[in-house]
Amino acid sequence: EAGVTQFPSHSVIEKGQTVTLRCDPISGHDNLYWYRRVMGKEIKFLLHFVKESKQDESGMPNNRFLAERTGGTYSTLKVQPAELEDSGVYFCASSQRRLAGVASTDTQYFGPGTRLTVL
Amino acid sequence: RKEVEQDPGPFNVPEGATVAFNCTYSNSASQSFFWYRQDCRKEPKLLMSVYSSGNEDGRFTAQLNRASQYISLLIRDSKLSDSATYLCVGGYNQGGKLIFGQGTELSVKP
């Protein structure tokens, strides 16, 4: 079974430009999450989709970040315009639909991340 | 104060040693806990879930103490391949967001 995939693996852009990150979750996983790790800091939650709906977007830093998951399959995270502090590694994770009493359905599987550098 | 706190290390231990990592969390609303392992420049991977009753998986034992808001991971008979960063992670609602500690770096030497 294919894991979570992310594209691109690396992106180097200049301040003020736009970048779009893509995440393809594990097939059949309803839950999709975006996280970010800024250098020297812990991994932080950005938002959570259940299918195509935003379940929790409390971690989105500001309105320069826009996440979508049309059709409930892959997701995109757009940063427009990018700022220097947006540099970091952006991870996507997915988990299947939660089944009551089955703890393993909560397991979040992470993609390899997109390393974003804003110059 | 961070919601999940860990000693960043590094822990440098010889092969065969037993090493213990500790983690504390501040939000009593956290419902589930995990240890993830992250190799250099790779994604986090689930090592094990943590239960109040304690759980063991081979050389790894995890324990949760809700009264003290404390989580531990014990690695016995360390292998070179155990070298990685170990992330203490809390979850609020089943299926919801994860809260990560900064990670504890482990280096196992020959």
Side-chain angles (χ1 to χ4, degrees), chain B residues 17-38:
Chain B
T18 295
V19 61
F21 302 141
N22 303 317
C23 163
T24 57
Y25 62 95
S26 59
N27 192 328
S28 57
S30 294
Q31 297 180 339
S32 51
F33 299 90
F34 311 91
W35 284 100
Y36 274 74
R37 170 192 169 131
Q38 186 174 24

Side-chain angles (χ1 to χ4, degrees), chain A residues 61-72:
Chain A
N62 51 59
N63 60 9
R64 294 187 294 102
F65 288 74
L66 175 64
E68 295 181 322
R69 192 183 182 195
T70 308

